[in-house]
Amino acid sequence: MIKEEMLKALRESGDFVSGQELCERFGVSRTAVWKAAARLKEEGYEIESVSNRGYRLKALPDVVTEAEIGSRLKTRVMGRNCVCFDSADSTNVQAKRLAEEGAPHGTLVCAETQTAGRGRRGRAWSSPPGAAVYMSLLLRPKVRPEHASMLTLVMGLAAAEACNELLSRAAAGKPSVPQTGLKWPNDLVLDGKKTAGILTEMSTEVDFIHYVVIGIGINVNTEGFPEELPHAASLRQYAGKPLLRAELIALCMEYFEKYYDRFEKKEDLGDLKEEYERLLVNKGKQVRVLEPGREHTGTALGISSQGELLVELEDGSIEKVYAGEVSVRGVYGYV
Ligand code: BTN
């Protein structure tokens, strides 16, 4: 806790903060402050300590830890209970385990690397350490089970807005960078390439949701991708400089909380539709909808307030496509 408060105080000041001031602010001894600084140094923070001046944060490492995330959070609920692993099998699996053990609504699980990262439709999600965000948010929504799949779209919108805010902070003053868009229903895209994917899993009964886990993997600082992934991109490739993953995670939580409140009130996306469609890269495009045993082509018009993709077919009729096990491709490529 002191570590988190100390990080916040030093980062916000940007200059020396005296040991005395830190002691008074946190109501602890000088030794406790000194110990917190020593622990932060061990974790890779460059902290200068000068007698009579105090402590100053010289450099921030790109770490995904409870203290780093917690010191940036501005939310009431989302991410307030946060568990970070150096290595996990899958943050979705860990979030489900914590859910079964009674972890609260809004619990966030992050990992530096995953040994069994999971993608949609049973695929693996490659999860090397160092450059990406792997996180899962545990929710206990008071909505009907058939409405829970809309939460994937709420997370997509929140994460896209968070990526865009981070990109514009990085661009500060320079010519604008491209915007992260949404490829319905699960992907974030930048310049026509995939930067993030979402996997939502849930435990429900006929008319009751035990919990929902929304997992998201975001390519943040990855510098290049193997040939087998021609449609992948990272934020860094467009930001032109490395970004801080904890800053992105905290922003995601902030946007998610804002949009979740709006979703929960009506149990639909009516109040988010406009924002969602503004970022929807499929909009106005020819898409191929691949459903198990069925394939059709049409023009994507937008989304319904229930989160379905509205596709105008060649005969002029409008088909509502439900997210489920569907895959949507551009007729001329990935988007
Ligand atoms: C996809 O596009 O196929 C979805 C990928 C989801 C990956 C994330 S990474 C964090 C969380 N843990 C997992 O095992 N999967 C999700």
Side-chain angles (χ1 to χ4, degrees):
M1 205 59 185
I2 305 178
K3 254 188 353 184
E4 190 176 309
E5 304 242 25
M6 184 154 175
L7 269 179
K8 192 166 179 200
L10 296 184
R11 206 175 44 236
E12 283 170 3
S13 141
D15 199 351
F16 281 98
V17 183
S18 76
Q20 184 62 33
E21 189 184 329
L22 294 171
C23 294
E24 281 166 16
R25 258 166 92 163
F26 314 148
V28 297
S29 67
R30 272 185 178 262
T31 319
V33 166
W34 179 84
K35 276 190 185 155
R39 282 207 307 274
L40 286 170
K41 283 184 203 167
E42 277 167 27
E43 286 173 22
Y45 292 87
E46 262 185 69
I47 296 178
E48 195 178 4
S49 41
V50 175
S51 50
N52 296 325
R53 297 192 75 188
Y55 299 90
R56 184 170 75 99
L57 193 56
K58 281 174 70 186
L60 281 174
D62 174 33
V63 290
V64 176
T65 58
E66 287 91 346
E68 186 59 42
I69 296 169
S71 70
R72 294 173 178 276
L73 276 183
K74 296 198 181 104
T75 52
R76 281 176 290 110
V77 179
M78 300 302 163
R80 282 287 159 195
N81 182 38
C82 177
V83 182
C84 295
F85 295 94
D86 286 337
S87 174
D89 43 3
S90 148
T91 54
N92 269 26
V93 170
Q94 291 305 316
K96 288 193 279 182
R97 180 183 60 77
L98 291 168
E100 300 291 344
E101 288 170 7
H105 175 68
T107 293
L108 175 67
V109 180
C110 301
E112 183 62 41
T113 178
Q114 300 184 118
T115 53
R118 292 142 63 135
R120 286 226 300 159
R121 276 172 277 137
R123 296 203 197 105
W125 184 259
S126 159
S127 310
V133 161
Y134 311 110
M135 66 176 180
S136 301
L137 187 63
L138 163 64
L139 301 172
R140 299 186 183 275
K142 291 185 199 74
V143 303
R144 288 198 290 281
E146 64 271 26
H147 292 166
S149 65
M150 283 186 259
L151 287 166
T152 301
L153 276 66
V154 179
M155 177 56 92
L157 177 60
E161 297 279 19
C163 289
N164 287 335
E165 182 154 344
L166 194 68
L167 286 171
S168 77
R169 283 181 190 175
K174 287 191 240 92
S176 64
V177 285
Q179 280 237 312
T180 306
L182 292 158
K183 178 173 170 290
W184 185 93
N186 292 74
D187 295 353
L188 267 62
V189 294
L190 201 48
D191 193 23
K193 294 181 182 153
K194 178 162 172 169
T195 49
I198 302 174
L199 176 69
T200 300
E201 298 181 79
M202 54 189 105
S203 162
T204 59
E205 279 177 33
V206 182
D207 56 356
F208 178 75
I209 299 181
H210 290 290
Y211 59 81
V212 175
V213 165
I214 312 176
I216 174 161
I218 313 176
N219 301 326
V220 182
N221 288 324
T222 323
E223 290 190 70
F225 294 89
E227 262 173 36
E228 315 84 83
L229 297 173
H231 299 302
S234 72
L235 301 181
R236 182 187 175 154
Q237 289 172 322
Y238 293 87
K241 64 175 188 187
L243 303 163
L244 292 171
R245 289 173 293 167
E247 189 179 351
L248 178 61
I249 294 172
L251 279 170
C252 279
M253 292 299 105
E254 223 175 285
Y255 277 104
F256 185 83
E257 185 160 289
K258 175 172 135 190
Y259 294 141
Y260 181 81
D261 287 349
R262 278 154 68 178
F263 162 76
E264 208 188 20
K265 276 199 193 101
K266 293 193 184 161
E267 281 196 34
D268 72 23
L269 303 174
D271 285 347
L272 298 174
K273 191 171 134 61
E274 211 179 298
E275 271 120 321
Y276 193 93
E277 288 184 347
R278 206 178 303 136
L279 295 180
L280 181 64
V281 293
N282 312 94
K283 197 173 173 174
K285 294 246 169 71
Q286 285 280 100
V287 291
R288 228 162 19 106
V289 181
L290 315 170
E291 283 175 293
R294 183 156 180 245
E295 179 177 333
H296 44 270
T297 305
T299 309
L301 302 178
I303 58 162
S304 71
S305 58
Q306 297 298 305
E308 299 131 322
L309 186 70
L310 303 173
V311 179
E312 185 173 7
L313 303 179
E314 270 151 22
D315 63 4
S317 63
I318 294 175
E319 169 115 0
K320 287 181 174 175
V321 184
Y322 179 74
E325 278 302 283
V326 72
S327 162
V328 174
R329 296 276 152 72
V331 170
Y332 304 107
Y334 165 68
V335 173

